[in-house]
Amino acid sequence: MKTVFSYPLRMCAIAATLTLTPALTQAQAQAGKPQYGGKLEIGTVYSTISALSWDPADFAWKVNHDAGGVYEQLFAGDLTKAIRNGGKHRFVADAWLPSDAIRGELAESWKWTTPLRLEVKLRKGIMYPEKPGVMKARELVAEDVVYSFNRLEKSPKKIPFYLDHITKAEATDAHTVVFNFKEYNAEWDYRFGWGYYSAIVPKEVVDAGASNWKNVNGTGPYLLTDFTQGNSNTYTKNPNYWDKEKIGGQQYKLPFVDKIVYRVIKDEATQHTALRTGKLDILEAIRWNAADELKKNAPALKWSRTLGMVGTYLAMRVDTKPFDDVRVRRALNMAINKQEIVSAFYGGNAELFAFPQHPDYIGYYEPLSAMPESVKELFTYNPEKAKKLLAEAGYPNGFSFKVQVTASSPVHSDLLPLIAAYLEKVGVKIEIQPMEYPAFLSAMTTRTNAAGYFMDNGHTNPTTTIRKNFVKGQVWNPSQWSDPALDKKMDVALAERDEGKRQAILKEMTREMLDKAPYIWLPTAYNFTAWWPWVQNYNGELRAGAVRPWPIYSRIWVDQDMKKKMGF
């Protein structure tokens, strides 16, 4: 595949340095000759949460995770650049693809013909399979891309301003799409190329009802053949899938595995038992305190350890009292012994300071040691100063407030009571309100969340991590932060073509938001992924696009002889 550039694919590129963890070696990454057939059962990163929607126009963050094996996008992660293939990238970020690790998926080539006109050539001969009652088999054409873009743009659930930088998408011939820009946006490829809502959905599916899983139909390597809410998603190989993979100098038709099953398992102990007994081939998210026991009981498992791509925090609504006072917000940060959480709660398997920018975002991330003293003190346990600040703010006897938390997270169920105990020492009491995940998410998206909202939030990428958390009206802004000056800086950052200048703007914004403390900033944990050795052509990769693992899964094969010899 030849890609033509008049401008860089993404001018906000990061020269990320990603290295093998001690548990991963090139020898381990080597696989034998590909095999076809078999089944892959996976406890995914989101194994406690069932599918939220099957329609990208719903703007549900998890849709790529569930539908991304059926619906494809213009671009995807280039897995030839993965560590297991001799590259430098781990492919674990929730929604970050460095510019040297992006390939065309449905797009064969693309180029800027002017500074504000992007031309995308689609691959020819890519077919939608026949779906009885939904659509006849037919070729993917440029009008499908235009239709998908326009549908997102007109969706009442659209993230504010998400696609406003594009004035028009048009099909200039059957396999050419032109995007006309109103203004440059540094996230252009992420937002409608490989991002959360970039799936190309045919009109026939929409006419049949895109929210019904039975109607889902796309050009991807798998067909969605069964879905049981709260239990499992089942995907069956698309026999006419277009893509191939070169392995050992030979081209192989994808995908390799006949059937892939996502298991929804809310209980951690049940997840671990399923992995240990071979009922799961891969379990992508394992807490540190379970890893050692699993290694002991199932020594043949392969492992990877990566710093989580989500920030954990307790958001405080700044449009409600007492959180409209920065002294209160700073006090609650100082009341939490964050270093003790790293050492005791996480057993050292966490970083004190890794949000809102992630350490992988080289050029954008600054360590705590480089921060001003006013930021450093928010990560230093100081209950006496916390009490003093509360008294100055008019709360010498503390106060109480409600904190909403999802019941789907075992980590949060354990961590939030610990946070409550710290706060109680400075006179602040919290009422914990556990919620099922759909209701919990809805509270934030409808801006009806309580004064306290305890959550994980993906880093996404160096610009979006600031935009979605702190720009007025953004969906993922549970503190309801609103500052016209910050919003203007975000506009300037997104319009800046020079990466160095953009980095400087985002560093300044990151420092500012850390200091203003709309969140209780908490440590970021390391995650463990484990898989059985019969899972081949895999090295712990998690995503090759925005929460989209399917380019990874479609390249895995199962060594069925090995599995039988191991007694499974």
Side-chain angles (χ1 to χ4, degrees), residues 115-144:
L116 294 177
R117 186 180 187 275
L118 178 72
E119 182 181 275
V120 179
K121 294 286 187 181
L122 301 180
R123 298 178 191 274
K124 296 178 180 179
I126 294 179
M127 299 295 293
Y128 286 105
E130 182 174 359
K131 182 89 169 180
V134 176
M135 66 186 294
K136 298 287 187 182
R138 67 167 178 84
E139 187 181 12
L140 167 85
V141 293
E143 285 292 350
D144 293 311

Side-chain angles (χ1 to χ4, degrees), residues 19 34 72 75 120 206 213 284 294 304 344 417 544:
T19 57
E72 293 190 289
F75 312 123
V120 179
V206 176
W213 72 267
E284 292 181 343
L294 280 167
S304 68

Side-chain angles (χ1 to χ4, degrees), residues 97-403:
L97 291 178
S99 59
D100 68 341
I102 298 176
R103 71 179 182 96
E105 189 168 68
L106 297 177
E108 184 173 54
S109 65
W110 55 97
K111 64 180 179 181
W112 292 93
T113 57
T114 75
L116 294 177
R117 186 180 187 275
L118 178 72
E119 182 181 275
V120 179
K121 294 286 187 181
L122 301 180
R123 298 178 191 274
K124 296 178 180 179
I126 294 179
M127 299 295 293
Y128 286 105
E130 182 174 359
K131 182 89 169 180
V134 176
M135 66 186 294
K136 298 287 187 182
R138 67 167 178 84
E139 187 181 12
L140 167 85
V141 293
E143 285 292 350
D144 293 311
V145 177
V146 173
Y147 175 78
S148 295
F149 171 83
N150 288 335
R151 190 164 171 265
L152 280 184
E153 173 59 22
K154 294 173 184 176
S155 171
K157 299 179 181 180
K158 184 184 76 168
I159 293 173
F161 319 119
Y162 194 75
L163 297 170
D164 289 3
H165 57 288
I166 299 175
T167 56
K168 185 180 180 182
E170 56 185 334
T172 57
D173 64 41
H175 296 94
T176 305
V177 183
V178 171
F179 293 96
N180 297 287
F181 282 58
K182 177 172 63 179
E183 59 198 10
Y184 179 78
N185 187 295
E187 293 184 349
W188 69 265
D189 56 322
Y190 156 71
R191 293 201 190 181
F192 194 70
W194 53 266
Y196 283 95
Y197 318 108
S198 304
I200 307 304
V201 181
K203 185 177 185 298
E204 294 95 324
V205 168
V206 176
D207 291 343
S211 61
N212 185 339
W213 72 267
K214 294 180 181 179
N215 297 329
V216 170
N217 194 48
T219 59
Y222 285 91
L223 311 172
L224 178 64
T225 50
D226 195 26
F227 170 63
T228 304
Q229 181 77 29
N231 181 273
S232 62
N233 309 359
T234 301
Y235 308 87
T236 303
K237 177 178 182 175
N238 177 358
N240 298 312
Y241 183 55
W242 61 272
D243 202 5
K244 296 179 180 179
E245 182 79 348
K246 194 171 189 177
I247 298 171
Q250 183 176 340
Q251 291 278 2
Y252 291 89
K253 183 176 171 60
L254 295 175
F256 294 112
V257 176
D258 284 344
K259 184 177 287 188
I260 292 179
V261 180
Y262 281 7
R263 293 294 178 194
V264 179
I265 307 173
K266 293 190 175 183
D267 179 68
E268 278 187 293
T270 305
Q271 291 177 15
H272 303 156
T273 299
L275 176 67
R276 181 172 46 80
T277 58
K279 292 188 169 99
L280 287 177
D281 301 289
I282 305 172
L283 183 56
E284 292 181 343
I286 301 171
R287 277 210 267 179
W288 69 271
N289 55 357
D292 286 345
E293 190 68 21
L294 280 167
K295 288 176 182 179
K296 189 185 305 179
N297 293 331
L301 286 170
K302 304 293 185 182
W303 290 87
S304 68
R305 175 183 182 261
T306 55
L307 182 62
M309 299 301 301
V310 294
T312 300
Y313 56 72
L314 197 164
M316 298 168 280
R317 284 192 71 136
V318 299
D319 59 350
T320 64
K321 290 187 177 298
F323 299 126
D324 57 342
D325 192 321
V326 68
R327 292 172 296 185
V328 172
R329 303 194 302 267
R330 293 182 66 84
L332 268 57
N333 270 279
M334 295 178 200
I336 309 297
N337 192 336
K338 300 172 185 180
Q339 188 58 62
E340 188 172 66
I341 290 173
V342 170
S343 58
F345 183 82
Y346 290 114
N349 289 282
E351 295 294 338
L352 178 67
F353 181 74
F355 187 81
Q357 298 291 355
H358 193 279
D360 278 0
Y361 299 159
I362 295 172
Y364 296 85
Y365 174 81
E366 294 182 290
L368 186 59
S369 60
M371 290 289 156
E373 291 302 318
S374 58
V375 171
K376 290 178 182 177
E377 74 171 352
L378 297 176
F379 294 83
T380 304
Y381 184 48
N382 192 341
E384 293 308 313
K385 185 164 185 180
K387 290 177 183 177
K388 182 180 177 183
L389 285 173
L390 289 173
E392 288 177 4
Y395 302 95
N397 299 316
F399 58 90
S400 61
F401 69 105
K402 181 185 290 185
V403 178

Side-chain angles (χ1 to χ4, degrees), residues 429-491:
K429 296 183 179 180
I430 66 174
E431 175 194 343
I432 298 175
Q433 181 187 357
M435 304 171 73
E436 289 302 314
Y437 187 76
F440 173 76
L441 180 62
S442 178
M444 180 186 67
T445 59
T446 58
R447 301 186 181 91
T448 58
N449 55 288
Y453 193 81
F454 193 78
M455 71 178 297
D456 282 345
N457 198 347
H459 292 73
T460 310
N461 63 50
T463 45
T464 293
T465 191
I466 302 299
R467 172 183 59 80
K468 72 175 183 177
N469 279 282
F470 308 117
V471 168
K472 180 182 178 179
Q474 292 292 297
V475 174
W476 295 83
N477 179 1
S479 71
Q480 308 306 324
W481 188 264
S482 177
D483 179 356
L486 185 94
D487 295 353
K488 186 175 180 180
K489 288 178 186 176
M490 191 77 253
D491 290 340

Side-chain angles (χ1 to χ4, degrees), residues 332 335-341 344 381 383 415-428:
L332 268 57
I336 309 297
N337 192 336
K338 300 172 185 180
Q339 188 58 62
E340 188 172 66
I341 290 173
Y381 184 48
L415 181 55
L416 188 52
L418 178 59
I419 301 300
Y422 284 126
L423 293 179
E424 194 162 354
K425 291 181 181 179
V426 297
V428 175

